[in-house]
Amino acid sequence: MKASRIVAAGAAAGITVLALSAPAFAHVTVQPEGTAAKGGYAVIDFKVPNERDDASTTKLEVNFPTDHPLASVMPEPMPGWKIDVTKSKLDKPLEMHGEKITEAVTKVTWTAEGKGIEAGYFEKFPLSVGQLPEDTDQLAFKALQTYSNKEVVRWIEVPQKGKEEPDNPAPVLELSAASEDGHHGAAADEDSDAESAEKTSADTAASDSAAGTDTTARVLGIVGIVVGAAGVAYGVLAGRRRSDA
């Protein structure tokens, strides 16, 4: 009985370990490089894992939200991939920097010119986008992932708050609040870099000043030692002369 109980317990433990160690279901996601602040610009990366052992990912199509169109979308060149940017007319023109924008990017397509993303690997597809909307907390991008065996996985189900994640969730970009001083995204980063540079300059000046003070103290100390040694030598010589006399 004891042996059977031990075997049963061991089997149950083994099943639990296997369940916990099973890899999580991966899907296409989007994340900003830094922050994606409302009303600003950002660089965002679409992370695409290859989930097939017998095929590679050869195409990625990302569709942009039409309810919050983005006037500026610029892809970064990627070796081994052909990039196509599709623009469409807007039902309602946008205003950017005092100019009216009548069309916006509605889709970006990456097509592999070689093997693409092979089994066991992932790749990031970066885009510079803006201006980000100020009247929403997130943007959903519906994506299509095509494999070399012609299989197409449609990541188009928009996750809903309070509900379980769908089987094929669409990539969702979370937007952060704009800073209180009115800076957004890249501009805020530039100001931060400037402040950092000023602080570094001040620290360097303080360090140089401290170094100068320390050097002066060392020189005075050495001079004092030399003078003291000379005094001792003089005293010894004077004592010898008196003794000889």
Side-chain angles (χ1 to χ4, degrees):
M1 288 294 293
K2 290 183 179 180
S4 61
R5 289 178 181 177
I6 293 174
V7 171
I15 292 172
T16 302
V17 170
L18 288 174
L20 294 175
S21 62
F25 186 72
H27 49 266
V28 176
T29 57
V30 60
Q31 291 291 334
E33 295 183 7
T35 59
K38 296 179 181 179
Y41 291 79
V43 174
I44 60 176
D45 295 326
F46 288 90
K47 182 180 177 182
V48 182
N50 191 84
E51 299 180 311
R52 302 294 180 265
D53 296 330
D54 56 351
S56 59
T57 297
T58 56
K59 181 187 288 187
L60 173 69
E61 299 173 69
V62 174
N63 294 278
F64 284 70
T66 56
D67 55 342
H68 293 97
L70 301 175
S72 176
V73 177
M74 293 186 293
E76 180 179 330
M78 293 180 61
W81 294 87
K82 176 187 175 184
I83 306 174
D84 294 310
V85 179
T86 303
K87 293 184 178 181
S88 301
K89 291 288 184 179
L90 296 175
D91 295 333
K92 183 179 180 182
L94 297 174
E95 187 170 335
M96 180 179 291
H97 305 301
E99 296 183 4
K100 285 189 176 181
I101 308 298
T102 58
E103 64 178 13
V105 173
T106 52
K107 183 170 69 172
V108 177
T109 304
W110 291 265
T111 304
E113 297 178 322
K115 294 182 179 180
I117 309 173
E118 298 185 77
Y121 291 88
F122 77 91
E123 195 154 353
K124 290 182 179 180
F125 297 79
L127 291 174
S128 173
V129 299
Q131 285 179 306
L132 297 172
E134 299 185 35
D135 57 349
T136 185
D137 295 327
Q138 61 182 27
L139 293 175
F141 300 85
K142 296 183 179 182
L144 276 65
Q145 181 179 10
T146 302
Y147 287 92
S148 57
N149 60 3
K150 307 304 180 183
E151 178 189 3
V152 178
V153 181
R154 302 169 62 85
W155 306 101
I156 61 173
E157 300 175 64
V158 179
Q160 302 296 325
K161 291 184 178 179
K163 296 184 179 181
E164 293 184 0
E165 184 178 70
D167 293 335
N168 295 90
V172 175
L173 177 66
E174 300 293 339
L175 303 181
S176 61
S179 59
E180 294 181 358
D181 58 4
H183 292 117
H184 308 283
D189 292 340
E190 290 176 3
D191 290 345
S192 178
D193 291 341
E195 292 177 1
S196 178
E198 291 178 1
K199 184 178 184 301
T200 300
S201 178
D203 291 344
T204 301
S207 178
D208 291 344
S209 176
T213 302
D214 184 60
T215 300
T216 302
R218 290 183 180 181
V219 171
L220 293 176
I222 293 173
V223 170
I225 292 173
V226 171
V227 172
V232 172
Y234 178 79
V236 171
L237 291 175
R240 289 181 177 178
R241 289 176 180 176
R242 291 176 183 174
S243 176
D244 293 341

